[in-house]
Amino acid sequence: MSSGDDFSQQPTSLLSDVEDDRADEGPRQGGLGLGLLILRLALGVTMGAHGLQHLFGLFGGPGIGGFARALETFGYHKQTTLLAWITGVTEVGGGVLVIVGLFTPLAAAGLLGVAANIVYAKFHGGFFEQQGQGFEFELLLGATALSLLFTGAGPISLERNTPWRRRPLPLGLVSLLLAAAAAVVVIVLTR
Protein backbone atom coordinates (compact mmCIF):
# COMPACT_ATOMS: atom_id res chain seq x y z
CA MET A 1 0.00 0.00 0.00
CA SER A 2 1.22 3.44 -0.74
CA SER A 3 1.29 6.26 1.75
CA GLY A 4 -1.15 8.15 -0.47
CA ASP A 5 -4.04 5.68 0.11
CA ASP A 6 -7.03 7.46 1.64
CA PHE A 7 -8.97 5.27 4.04
CA SER A 8 -11.36 8.04 5.10
CA GLN A 9 -13.84 6.86 2.49
CA GLN A 10 -14.02 3.34 3.92
CA PRO A 11 -17.30 2.34 5.64
CA THR A 12 -17.03 2.36 9.42
CA SER A 13 -19.39 -0.58 9.86
CA LEU A 14 -21.20 -3.21 7.86
CA LEU A 15 -24.43 -1.23 8.22
CA SER A 16 -23.05 2.19 7.27
CA ASP A 17 -24.24 1.90 3.66
CA VAL A 18 -27.67 0.74 4.81
CA GLU A 19 -28.06 3.60 7.24
CA ASP A 20 -26.72 6.30 4.92
CA ASP A 21 -29.29 9.03 4.36
CA ARG A 22 -28.42 9.03 0.68
CA ALA A 23 -28.91 5.25 0.26
CA ASP A 24 -32.18 5.66 -1.67
CA GLU A 25 -30.87 8.30 -4.06
CA GLY A 26 -29.33 7.79 -7.44
CA PRO A 27 -29.47 5.04 -10.04
CA ARG A 28 -27.57 2.57 -7.84
CA GLN A 29 -30.62 2.15 -5.55
CA GLY A 30 -33.32 2.86 -8.16
CA GLY A 31 -35.01 -0.54 -7.88
CA LEU A 32 -34.92 -0.76 -4.08
CA GLY A 33 -37.96 1.45 -3.53
CA LEU A 34 -40.01 -0.43 -6.12
CA GLY A 35 -38.92 -3.80 -4.73
CA LEU A 36 -39.94 -2.84 -1.20
CA LEU A 37 -43.27 -1.52 -2.48
CA ILE A 38 -43.97 -4.86 -4.20
CA LEU A 39 -42.99 -6.74 -1.02
CA ARG A 40 -45.24 -4.49 1.10
CA LEU A 41 -48.19 -4.87 -1.28
CA ALA A 42 -47.88 -8.66 -1.34
CA LEU A 43 -47.72 -8.94 2.44
CA GLY A 44 -50.31 -6.25 3.19
CA VAL A 45 -52.91 -7.48 0.71
CA THR A 46 -52.50 -11.12 1.74
CA MET A 47 -52.68 -10.49 5.49
CA GLY A 48 -55.39 -7.84 5.13
CA ALA A 49 -57.58 -10.18 3.07
CA HIS A 50 -57.16 -12.90 5.70
CA GLY A 51 -58.16 -10.39 8.36
CA LEU A 52 -61.31 -9.48 6.43
CA GLN A 53 -62.14 -13.18 6.18
CA HIS A 54 -61.68 -13.59 9.91
CA LEU A 55 -63.52 -10.45 10.99
CA PHE A 56 -66.39 -10.17 8.52
CA GLY A 57 -66.56 -13.46 6.63
CA LEU A 58 -65.58 -11.75 3.36
CA PHE A 59 -64.01 -13.73 0.51
CA GLY A 60 -65.62 -16.94 1.80
CA GLY A 61 -64.13 -16.56 5.26
CA PRO A 62 -65.54 -17.92 8.50
CA GLY A 63 -66.24 -14.64 10.33
CA ILE A 64 -65.45 -14.17 14.02
CA GLY A 65 -67.45 -17.16 15.30
CA GLY A 66 -66.08 -19.56 12.72
CA PHE A 67 -62.55 -18.28 13.17
CA ALA A 68 -62.80 -18.69 16.96
CA ARG A 69 -63.88 -22.32 16.41
CA ALA A 70 -61.00 -22.83 13.98
CA LEU A 71 -58.56 -21.52 16.57
CA GLU A 72 -59.78 -24.22 18.94
CA THR A 73 -58.85 -26.91 16.41
CA PHE A 74 -55.30 -25.49 16.43
CA GLY A 75 -54.98 -25.81 20.20
CA TYR A 76 -56.13 -22.39 21.38
CA HIS A 77 -58.71 -23.08 24.08
CA LYS A 78 -58.94 -19.89 26.15
CA GLN A 79 -60.45 -16.59 25.05
CA THR A 80 -60.77 -17.72 21.42
CA THR A 81 -63.31 -15.04 20.49
CA LEU A 82 -61.07 -12.30 21.86
CA LEU A 83 -58.08 -13.86 20.12
CA ALA A 84 -60.06 -14.00 16.86
CA TRP A 85 -60.81 -10.26 17.14
CA ILE A 86 -57.22 -9.36 18.00
CA THR A 87 -55.86 -11.47 15.16
CA GLY A 88 -58.30 -10.09 12.59
CA VAL A 89 -57.76 -6.46 13.59
CA THR A 90 -53.98 -6.97 13.58
CA GLU A 91 -54.13 -8.52 10.10
CA VAL A 92 -56.31 -5.75 8.64
CA GLY A 93 -54.65 -2.84 10.46
CA GLY A 94 -51.13 -4.13 9.95
CA GLY A 95 -51.89 -4.93 6.32
CA VAL A 96 -53.16 -1.42 5.61
CA LEU A 97 -50.21 0.24 7.37
CA VAL A 98 -47.71 -1.96 5.52
CA ILE A 99 -49.38 -1.22 2.16
CA VAL A 100 -49.23 2.57 2.59
CA GLY A 101 -45.86 2.42 4.31
CA LEU A 102 -46.68 4.05 7.63
CA PHE A 103 -45.27 2.82 10.97
CA THR A 104 -43.96 -0.11 8.92
CA PRO A 105 -41.69 -1.70 11.56
CA LEU A 106 -44.52 -1.79 14.12
CA ALA A 107 -47.12 -2.96 11.59
CA ALA A 108 -44.74 -5.66 10.33
CA ALA A 109 -44.13 -6.70 13.95
CA GLY A 110 -47.86 -7.28 14.43
CA LEU A 111 -48.03 -9.35 11.24
CA LEU A 112 -44.92 -11.27 12.28
CA GLY A 113 -46.51 -12.06 15.64
CA VAL A 114 -49.62 -13.44 13.90
CA ALA A 115 -47.53 -15.49 11.46
CA ALA A 116 -45.34 -16.84 14.28
CA ASN A 117 -48.41 -18.06 16.16
CA ILE A 118 -49.76 -19.78 13.07
CA VAL A 119 -46.41 -21.48 12.41
CA TYR A 120 -46.33 -22.61 16.04
CA ALA A 121 -49.89 -23.95 15.85
CA LYS A 122 -49.30 -25.78 12.56
CA PHE A 123 -45.77 -27.01 13.28
CA HIS A 124 -46.90 -30.56 14.13
CA GLY A 125 -48.51 -30.88 10.68
CA GLY A 126 -45.20 -30.78 8.84
CA PHE A 127 -43.67 -28.16 6.58
CA PHE A 128 -45.67 -28.58 3.37
CA GLU A 129 -49.23 -27.31 3.03
CA GLN A 130 -51.63 -30.27 2.79
CA GLN A 131 -55.32 -30.24 3.77
CA GLY A 132 -54.97 -27.30 6.16
CA GLN A 133 -51.75 -28.64 7.68
CA GLY A 134 -48.24 -27.41 7.10
CA PHE A 135 -46.75 -24.01 7.73
CA GLU A 136 -44.74 -23.16 4.61
CA PHE A 137 -47.07 -20.31 3.56
CA GLU A 138 -47.17 -18.72 7.00
CA LEU A 139 -43.41 -19.04 7.33
CA LEU A 140 -43.00 -17.09 4.09
CA LEU A 141 -45.41 -14.39 5.33
CA GLY A 142 -43.47 -14.18 8.60
CA ALA A 143 -40.13 -13.93 6.79
CA THR A 144 -41.52 -11.14 4.63
CA ALA A 145 -42.72 -9.25 7.73
CA LEU A 146 -39.35 -9.85 9.41
CA SER A 147 -37.57 -8.40 6.39
CA LEU A 148 -39.70 -5.26 6.51
CA LEU A 149 -38.88 -4.81 10.20
CA PHE A 150 -35.29 -4.09 9.26
CA THR A 151 -35.63 -2.43 5.85
CA GLY A 152 -38.54 -0.15 6.63
CA ALA A 153 -41.01 0.83 3.94
CA GLY A 154 -38.53 2.37 1.54
CA PRO A 155 -38.74 5.64 -0.35
CA ILE A 156 -42.15 4.98 -1.94
CA SER A 157 -44.15 5.32 1.27
CA LEU A 158 -45.84 7.73 3.64
CA GLU A 159 -42.97 7.50 6.11
CA ARG A 160 -40.38 8.98 3.79
CA ASN A 161 -39.16 11.60 6.28
CA THR A 162 -39.39 9.71 9.55
CA PRO A 163 -36.38 8.96 11.78
CA TRP A 164 -36.94 5.19 11.61
CA ARG A 165 -36.86 5.30 7.81
CA ARG A 166 -33.47 6.95 7.91
CA ARG A 167 -32.14 4.42 10.46
CA PRO A 168 -34.45 1.38 10.50
CA LEU A 169 -32.25 -0.96 12.56
CA PRO A 170 -32.98 0.36 16.09
CA LEU A 171 -36.78 0.40 15.67
CA GLY A 172 -36.52 -2.91 13.81
CA LEU A 173 -34.86 -4.55 16.80
CA VAL A 174 -37.43 -3.08 19.22
CA SER A 175 -40.24 -4.21 16.91
CA LEU A 176 -38.76 -7.72 16.75
CA LEU A 177 -38.78 -7.89 20.55
CA LEU A 178 -42.40 -6.69 20.60
CA ALA A 179 -43.42 -9.32 18.04
CA ALA A 180 -41.69 -12.10 19.98
CA ALA A 181 -43.23 -10.95 23.26
CA ALA A 182 -46.72 -10.74 21.75
CA ALA A 183 -46.42 -14.21 20.21
CA VAL A 184 -45.26 -15.73 23.50
CA VAL A 185 -48.02 -13.98 25.48
CA VAL A 186 -50.69 -15.26 23.10
CA ILE A 187 -49.34 -18.82 23.26
CA VAL A 188 -49.06 -18.79 27.06
CA LEU A 189 -52.43 -17.17 27.76
CA THR A 190 -54.62 -18.91 25.18
CA ARG A 191 -53.28 -22.45 24.80
Side-chain angles (χ1 to χ4, degrees):
M1 291 208 217
S2 69
S3 61
D5 289 340
D6 182 18
F7 290 103
S8 65
Q9 299 299 321
Q10 294 291 335
T12 56
S13 76
L14 293 174
L15 298 175
S16 63
D17 287 337
V18 174
E19 297 177 345
D20 188 354
D21 287 346
R22 298 164 292 157
D24 62 341
E25 297 173 6
R28 165 174 86 87
Q29 296 290 328
L32 180 63
L34 182 59
L36 287 172
L37 175 63
I38 292 167
L39 194 67
R40 288 185 0 244
L41 288 173
L43 179 64
V45 168
T46 302
M47 294 296 277
H50 276 275
L52 292 173
Q53 284 184 312
H54 297 152
L55 290 175
F56 307 113
L58 298 177
F59 312 116
I64 286 294
F67 184 45
R69 287 188 295 279
L71 288 171
E72 289 175 3
T73 66
F74 285 110
Y76 296 93
H77 299 294
K78 302 173 194 163
Q79 303 293 329
T80 54
T81 302
L82 178 62
L83 182 58
W85 276 104
I86 291 171
T87 302
V89 168
T90 301
E91 289 172 327
V92 171
V96 168
L97 289 173
V98 163
I99 288 170
V100 300
L102 187 60
F103 303 112
T104 304
L106 296 174
L111 299 178
L112 176 59
V114 169
N117 267 281
I118 299 168
V119 168
Y120 178 82
K122 288 183 158 186
F123 195 78
H124 71 280
F127 180 74
F128 296 105
E129 192 78 32
Q130 298 172 6
Q131 298 143 357
Q133 300 297 316
F135 60 90
E136 63 181 315
F137 176 66
E138 291 82 6
L139 184 65
L140 183 59
L141 292 174
T144 303
L146 181 62
S147 297
L148 288 174
L149 281 178
F150 296 110
T151 63
I156 307 172
S157 69
L158 293 180
E159 62 187 25
R160 183 163 172 80
N161 293 318
T162 58
W164 59 86
R165 206 233 8 78
R166 298 265 182 227
R167 297 199 180 267
L169 185 60
L171 185 57
L173 290 172
V174 169
S175 298
L176 178 60
L177 291 174
L178 289 173
V184 169
V185 165
V186 167
I187 290 168
V188 168
L189 294 180
T190 62
R191 289 185 69 89

